[in-house]
Amino acid sequence: MDDLVSLHWPQDSGRVLQLCHQARDYVEMETGDAPDLAYVRENMTDAPPDVPTDQIWCWGHLGPDGALDGIATCLKGYYEADDWYLGLLLLDPAARAKGLGTRMAQHVIDQARADNAACLRIAVLDTNIRALDFWARLNFKHETSTSVGDGQLRHVHRLNFKKETLQ
């Protein structure tokens, strides 16, 4: 996608925070709070200790006005060394249901495949029914459910790339 840009903490934190305010419906569903810089930092930088900082990626989509209208954050090497994990795909409500989510997800899928990843995982809030349907349309399959961390039920879905990992 030509309209995707690489985003970095802290240089792009203000732009990402602005998007989070636009998409506060999701942020509040996830956290119960309004978006703030701590939320932005967590999504742009947090990773398990065994994932190096150079394996954290954050891409943004520029809307017609030049502002971010979408963001995708990913980790390479989580859960396993050759796995990818998509931590957040967030869209401005005005950009939803127009194909942007699918295009951004496909970009991440393409990047993971180009990196020879075994799979791409995502964790979807149980209450986010639209997202559960979205990922199912992209052929992600339910792997497990968990409420570890903040106590909210999440469904982990997986898209396999290598034949030996297909189930």
Side-chain angles (χ1 to χ4, degrees), residues 92-149:
D92 182 318
R96 295 177 190 163
K98 297 178 180 176
L100 178 59
T102 301
R103 291 187 2 247
M104 290 189 74
Q106 190 61 54
H107 175 77
V108 173
I109 291 166
D110 293 345
Q111 295 298 310
R113 277 194 174 124
D115 189 55
N116 204 29
C119 71
L120 174 63
R121 284 189 179 88
I122 49 111
V124 182
L125 288 169
D126 182 64
T127 55
N128 196 347
I129 304 303
R130 288 183 62 198
L132 289 167
D133 292 342
F134 172 80
W135 294 109
R137 284 193 307 274
L138 293 176
N139 296 315
F140 281 73
K141 306 295 182 207
H142 182 266
E143 183 174 56
T144 190
S145 297
T146 183
S147 58
V148 173

Side-chain angles (χ1 to χ4, degrees), residues 41-61:
R41 181 176 187 200
E42 177 181 331
N43 279 285
M44 291 183 76
T45 65
D46 275 6
D50 58 334
V51 175
T53 57
D54 66 347
Q55 294 185 356
I56 302 170
W57 287 289
C58 186
W59 292 288
H61 180 268

Side-chain angles (χ1 to χ4, degrees), residues 56-79:
I56 302 170
W57 287 289
C58 186
W59 292 288
H61 180 268
L62 300 176
D65 63 356
L68 290 176
D69 61 1
I71 185 174
T73 63
C74 302
L75 303 175
K76 175 185 174 183
Y78 181 71
Y79 298 179

Side-chain angles (χ1 to χ4, degrees), residues 9-73:
W9 174 266
Q11 303 92 307
D12 296 304
S13 59
R15 297 167 72 191
V16 174
L17 180 59
Q18 182 179 0
L19 172 61
C20 289
H21 280 291
Q22 295 296 106
R24 73 182 301 138
D25 59 331
Y26 174 78
V27 176
E28 290 175 353
M29 179 190 331
E30 180 186 14
T31 67
D33 295 316
D36 59 15
L37 276 176
Y39 179 82
V40 170
R41 181 176 187 200
E42 177 181 331
N43 279 285
M44 291 183 76
T45 65
D46 275 6
D50 58 334
V51 175
T53 57
D54 66 347
Q55 294 185 356
I56 302 170
W57 287 289
C58 186
W59 292 288
H61 180 268
L62 300 176
D65 63 356
L68 290 176
D69 61 1
I71 185 174
T73 63

Side-chain angles (χ1 to χ4, degrees), residues 118 160-167:
N160 291 316
F161 299 128
K162 296 182 178 180
K163 289 183 181 178
E164 62 270 16
T165 62
L166 296 178
Q167 299 173 10

